[in-house]
Amino acid sequence: MMDSHKLKRRDNYLDKLIAFQDTEPVKVITGIRRCGKSSLLKLMVEHLKENGVLPEQIIEMNFESFEFRNMSSDDIYNYVKERIIPDKRMYLFFDELQRINAWEDAINAFRVDFNCDIYVTGSNAYLLSSEYSTYLSGRCVEIKMLPLSFREFLYFYDFEIRETQSALGGTRKQVSDKNGERYELREVFDAYMRFGGMPGIADVGLNQEKAMLFLDGIYSTVVIRDIFEREKRRGQKRITDSVLLRKIILFLADNIGNNVSIASIGNTLVNEGLLEDGKRKGCPSAHTVQAYVNALLESYFFYEIKRFDIKCKEYLRTLSKFYIVDIGLRNYLLGIRNRDTGHTIENVVYFELVRRGYDVAIGKIDNAEVDFIATTTDDKKYIQVTESMQSEDVRKRELAPLQKIRDNYEKIVLSLEPGLDTSYNGIKSLNLIDWLLS
């Protein structure tokens, strides 16, 4: 871990934590391993110290560390109790708490017994799943953390954007690094699409070999620790086959942005000879495949997105799509390839919408599909994502579903090559990279 004085700020998340400081709910930061949760806790500790909280009012425990690894919830309670200063408000930070059995007993006791403000991180949605959240229901606020956005990527790698006048009178964006080297914005975006947004890669630099080693470490940790260990803790034995798990991961990574059903995963694996057919022996049931997929969703490795029928105004039970939390992880799993740029940029747009606080669904209208319907309490957008809007055929294909929608909400096509027209009958055509930076 870097020294805290060198920690890059992630204001989007830090501001949310600060907003909830000294309020009743337990602050729970969730997200895939190594996406920056521990650093966020450190940033919050720095913030408290800068604002007059004394170091002895702050208690930090990281359950990845050997020191705290085999503690029971009673041990945690006693550890904290010994360090409580009477008549002072205490700030308690617990990192990767899901590793401790019955952790919720200790957290609840702190809330009742001490004058304290509690912050928790976890790399598994199981942390807030039904049996626990009933314990803390209404008493916790979840801050969902993701790997770096494109804007954060530029900041983490010390890239600066400069707008320069272009020969034709418009402006163009150029990027320079801390040594003054200049790059086209598209080159830097391509680097983001290659390396992804795991913050730790910034420590090793944009070096293919080192980055892949780093991603390999994340992959092993998520799969081995979060998925297999969690099963052990649950006392369940459903997810035991590491080969099957890897095949399902590869299938989902290969099919980001495609309509997928649990049955189609099983069938494909059988057809490709990756699994034995059930009639012969041991083909996993849909039930088994679903359990493996759920484990991947709970560890924030993949996110599932439902389909919404725009005309009938209802969610559809059939077919969902899956997106992978980080494009760098996908490149690590499948190798870098240029043939499905459309789906990879869709993946980036999906997570950017989530970062911006939208609920996201796929839209169905008649037989056509809208890539994303993004909704907040007071706003809605319909978004298509495509590599290029240069060709007439592609334009027709991308605009057609949006043209069928009969309401007045904003309709946008995002692409890497938007062409010269900025709108088509009220449908905006925007440059994807500009949109990510806006």
Side-chain angles (χ1 to χ4, degrees), residues 37-240:
K37 300 185 298 297
S38 307
S39 301
L40 182 60
L41 289 188
K42 289 195 170 69
L43 288 165
M44 187 63 195
V45 167
E46 290 293 300
H47 167 80
L48 291 171
K49 287 177 180 167
E50 282 162 14
N51 287 276
V53 174
L54 301 170
E56 53 269 28
Q57 289 173 263
I58 298 167
I59 300 173
E60 297 177 76
M61 300 176 81
N62 179 348
F63 297 102
E64 299 280 89
S65 136
F66 211 76
E67 189 184 352
F68 304 123
R69 218 181 44 166
N70 293 319
M71 281 188 158
S72 66
S73 58
D74 287 1
D75 297 336
I76 297 172
Y77 183 83
N78 292 326
Y79 179 91
V80 170
K81 188 179 175 184
E82 282 164 15
R83 288 162 178 76
I84 292 282
I85 303 167
D87 307 325
K88 285 268 191 219
R89 183 152 179 83
M90 300 299 292
Y91 294 86
L92 313 182
F93 290 85
F94 303 105
D95 205 354
E96 294 299 347
L97 190 58
Q98 79 259 350
R99 302 196 60 144
I100 303 298
N101 259 332
W103 60 267
E104 65 280 18
D105 295 340
I107 295 293
N108 249 351
F110 296 145
R111 290 182 52 255
V112 175
D113 297 351
F114 306 126
N115 170 15
C116 62
D117 196 18
I118 304 174
Y119 300 81
V120 171
T121 74
S123 302
N124 203 297
Y126 180 51
L127 183 81
L128 287 177
S129 66
S130 53
E131 52 261 63
Y132 287 165
S133 52
T134 48
Y135 237 85
L136 291 171
S137 61
R139 304 192 190 118
C140 69
V141 55
E142 184 184 7
I143 290 167
K144 298 173 181 177
M145 201 161 191
L146 288 167
L148 304 175
S149 66
F150 182 49
R151 276 178 74 158
E152 290 179 315
F153 176 87
L154 291 169
Y155 163 62
F156 264 61
Y157 289 89
D158 298 311
F159 286 119
E160 242 182 79
I161 296 184
R162 299 219 170 94
E163 293 218 348
T164 55
Q165 293 295 319
S166 71
L168 299 168
T171 60
R172 59 191 271 245
K173 293 189 175 79
Q174 268 205 321
V175 181
S176 53
D177 65 15
K178 56 184 172 200
N179 304 322
E181 284 286 330
R182 291 197 169 180
Y183 304 91
E184 291 301 320
L185 191 50
R186 177 65 195 263
E187 282 179 273
V188 183
F189 179 72
D190 289 343
Y192 178 63
M193 295 300 286
R194 168 171 291 225
F195 291 96
M198 284 298 186
I201 293 182
D203 300 343
V204 299
L206 296 176
N207 169 307
Q208 186 74 28
E209 208 172 317
K210 287 178 180 167
M212 289 303 148
L213 268 171
F214 178 80
L215 290 167
D216 177 64
I218 292 177
Y219 171 77
S220 320
T221 322
V222 168
V223 169
I224 306 305
R225 276 223 180 129
D226 284 353
I227 294 178
F228 289 125
E229 272 194 12
R230 184 210 62 170
E231 283 292 297
K232 265 195 280 191
R233 275 200 299 281
R234 274 183 168 177
Q236 292 178 339
K237 288 287 175 280
R238 281 184 314 181
I239 296 174
T240 50

Side-chain angles (χ1 to χ4, degrees), residues 24 55 77 121 207 310 315 318 353 392 432:
E24 156 82 359
Y77 183 83
T121 74
N207 169 307
I310 294 170
Y315 283 96
T318 54
L353 288 167
E392 180 72 19
L432 168 68

Side-chain angles (χ1 to χ4, degrees), residues 353 358 372-375 379-383 409-410 412:
L353 288 167
Y358 287 96
F372 301 119
I373 307 174
T375 340
D379 183 27
K380 186 189 279 189
K381 291 176 173 26
Y382 299 100
I383 296 171
Y409 291 109
E410 194 172 26
I412 303 169

Side-chain angles (χ1 to χ4, degrees), residues 23-42:
T23 58
E24 156 82 359
V26 175
K27 276 59 79 178
V28 183
I29 304 155
T30 55
I32 190 169
R33 273 184 186 276
R34 309 299 294 272
C35 72
K37 300 185 298 297
S38 307
S39 301
L40 182 60
L41 289 188
K42 289 195 170 69

